[in-house]
Amino acid sequence: MNINNIRNQFPILDTEVHGHRLVYLDNAATTQKPLAVIEALSDYYSHLNANIHRGAHHLAAEATGRYEEVRRQVQQFIGARHHHEVVFTRGTTESINLVASSFAKRYFTGDDEVIVSGMEHHSNIVPWQLAGAVLRPILFSDEGVLDMDAYERLFSDRTRIVAVNHVSNTLGTVNPVERIVEIAHAHGVPVLVDGAQAVSHMMVDVQAMGCDFYCFSGHKMYAPMGVGVMYGREEMLSELPPYQGGGEMISEVTFERTTYNELPFKFEAGTPSVGDVIGLGRAIAFMQEVGVDVIAAHEADLLTYATERLSTLPGLRIYGTAPMKTSVLSFLIGQAHPYDVGTLLDQLGVAVRTGHHCTQPVMDRYGIPGTVRASFAVYNNREEVDALVAAMERIMPMLQ
Ligand code: PMP
């Protein structure tokens, strides 16, 4: 992998921040976009823009074709059996809300439990609470590893679904989702996997994993904001009622009664973000051109290097030291508040995220207000890790 060639494809990396060249280490929040994706958006709005599926004219047919091509691209990218198992949404949050809402309508009986991990993003907690479930969290060790024995003990006749993240956005832990699915299915319980932090870092194969639902966001994998995916196994999706009503999701409408469209359109009410879907297709092509395995290896090297280098700083504590980790490094230093660290790093051009990262239960678990989080993408390099460490060394005297 030629890192300079990759960096050159990301115009934003030339930005100056407070007189310093930007060092962007907030990739778990959102990744930057390569020129190919930016140009795909511009190209769409310059030459292709039309509403899809219904139009009789040339542009509508072209836009529809491209939109549906991306559905097949996603199917292949995540190893789904059918293209109609891929539903386009606004992002992970909408995907999980869709499943929680429809699944609850279909299967909840008023006495319902959902097993989640203790390290879920709020978007895989709150939708289940809104749906009326009692949450049963899987505890995890100080290192950030799920207690699989405790997990098995959480099942009861009230367990309706297991909802876990593939990768923790705060601790970086790669959770054993195959094993989690195997155990849940042995209890006759389906599994939703939140893949928001996984798809840009590793090969995902939903059939090999065996999960029933897999949700992710385009903007965390080099694609535009405003588009995401809800994958669901055909057998599951055909059983679930629609999430939103409106155009496109219907078959026939009368004032007395409405019948619904086939999969996946039943779950895609209204005008989708067509240009962003096409951008997602270009982002997937970008990842495949570089090679998902190559990206994974590069990021693993950066994570190891950053962990080693940061660990040399006196008083630095890393949160999340699981043996299986990817691309996320959460830490605190001395008694400093994470927000102060983040603000001072920003003055030196280093962009990190601070706070609870939408995982307040993780912060409660450790009894801390938040962390500083550096997270890596394909375009980061060792010099940027050095810049982070040098910036930490510079600000440390100010933090006492
Ligand atoms: N789950 C995880 C693990 C995440 O990291 C995030 C984003 N921080 C989300 C869900 C929500 O994603 P989005 O805001 O793109 O819907």
Side-chain angles (χ1 to χ4, degrees):
M1 186 182 109
N2 181 336
I3 184 76
N4 287 329
N5 176 23
I6 296 214
R7 290 180 66 79
N8 287 338
Q9 297 180 49
F10 289 82
I12 211 167
L13 297 180
D14 287 331
T15 306
E16 272 212 0
V17 176
H18 307 305
H20 300 268
R21 162 81 79 91
L22 168 70
V23 173
Y24 186 77
L25 299 175
D26 192 19
N27 295 288
T30 197
T31 57
Q32 299 302 347
K33 319 304 172 199
L35 268 174
V37 169
I38 298 169
E39 282 165 4
L41 279 183
S42 157
D43 188 57
Y44 170 77
Y45 285 109
S46 306
H47 305 295
L48 207 62
N49 179 51
N51 210 332
I52 55 168
H53 293 137
R54 291 165 294 243
H57 58 84
H58 171 76
L59 287 184
E62 284 288 306
T64 304
R66 296 281 290 280
Y67 180 86
E68 290 304 325
E69 251 171 51
V70 178
R71 199 187 303 280
R72 285 177 161 76
Q73 231 183 316
V74 173
Q75 173 202 355
Q76 180 260 329
F77 184 62
I78 61 170
R81 187 179 304 252
H82 306 290
H83 61 86
H84 57 254
E85 295 177 320
V86 172
V87 173
F88 290 121
T89 63
R90 279 198 304 121
T92 312
T93 302
E94 189 174 62
S95 297
I96 300 175
N97 275 277
L98 187 169
V99 178
S101 163
S102 295
F103 188 91
K105 266 194 208 120
R106 173 70 179 77
Y107 294 110
F108 280 16
T109 56
D111 191 10
D112 311 286
E113 293 183 0
V114 173
I115 297 178
V116 293
S117 86
M119 57 179 89
E120 291 311 310
H121 190 276
H122 296 163
S123 63
N124 201 19
I125 296 174
V126 185
W128 301 109
Q129 291 172 331
L130 287 172
V134 170
L135 297 188
R136 305 275 276 144
I138 313 165
L139 302 181
F140 59 89
S141 69
D142 287 346
E143 292 74 29
V145 177
L146 292 181
D147 181 339
M148 294 297 279
D149 294 330
Y151 167 52
E152 289 223 50
R153 289 194 296 272
L154 291 177
F155 285 88
S156 76
D157 56 5
R158 294 178 298 279
T159 310
R160 304 287 176 249
I161 190 167
V162 173
V164 292
N165 58 32
H166 194 168
V167 171
S168 156
N169 65 308
T170 301
L171 303 174
T173 310
V174 181
N175 285 314
V177 281
E178 291 82 2
R179 184 80 190 115
I180 288 173
V181 169
E182 207 179 337
I183 292 168
H185 285 181
H187 287 87
V189 173
V191 179
L192 173 143
V193 176
D194 168 357
Q197 294 295 339
V199 278
S200 70
H201 304 300
M202 61 188 70
M203 302 284 275
V204 169
D205 183 333
V206 290
Q207 284 189 73
M209 193 186 297
C211 60
D212 300 274
F213 303 99
Y214 196 89
C215 305
F216 57 97
S217 302
H219 72 93
K220 293 181 196 282
M221 51 177 291
Y222 313 106
M225 290 186 175
V227 60
V229 168
M230 188 278 286
Y231 155 82
R233 278 199 308 114
E234 182 183 44
E235 299 75 15
M236 280 307 237
L237 293 186
S238 354
E239 284 296 313
L240 297 188
Y243 172 53
Q244 292 180 328
E248 204 57 48
M249 49 76 70
I250 51 88
S251 177
E252 266 175 66
V253 178
T254 64
F255 287 115
E256 289 71 41
R257 182 167 169 272
T258 292
T259 53
Y260 306 127
N261 204 341
E262 60 195 18
L263 292 177
F265 309 111
K266 178 171 91 173
F267 294 109
E268 290 183 3
T271 302
S273 202
V274 182
D276 296 326
V277 167
I278 290 168
L280 172 65
R282 195 59 196 86
I284 290 174
F286 163 79
M287 285 185 62
Q288 289 174 329
E289 282 152 22
V290 181
V292 178
D293 284 344
V294 174
I295 296 174
H298 172 68
E299 292 172 345
D301 172 70
L302 282 180
L303 182 66
T304 308
Y305 182 64
T307 305
E308 280 167 15
R309 293 246 25 224
L310 277 178
S311 302
T312 61
L313 300 178
L316 189 130
R317 303 180 301 285
I318 291 174
Y319 292 86
T321 52
M324 290 293 287
K325 262 192 81 168
T326 182
S327 292
V328 170
L329 196 48
S330 266
F331 61 91
L332 286 176
I333 187 142
Q335 298 307 309
H337 195 279
Y339 184 74
D340 295 337
V341 178
T343 308
L344 289 168
L345 287 177
D346 176 61
Q347 291 302 309
L348 299 172
V350 180
V352 293
R353 183 139 298 234
T354 63
H356 55 60
H357 317 300
C358 299
T359 57
Q360 283 182 0
V362 175
M363 301 306 139
D364 294 345
R365 160 72 177 73
Y366 290 107
I368 54 177
T371 70
V372 182
R373 182 184 72 183
S375 52
F376 305 106
V378 63
Y379 41 72
N380 291 124
N381 58 22
R382 283 184 171 221
E383 288 75 51
E384 289 179 309
V385 173
D386 293 339
L388 166 68
V389 175
M392 284 298 296
E393 281 166 343
R394 263 186 75 183
I395 68 170
M396 273 161 64
M398 293 176 233
L399 293 170
Q400 307 312 319

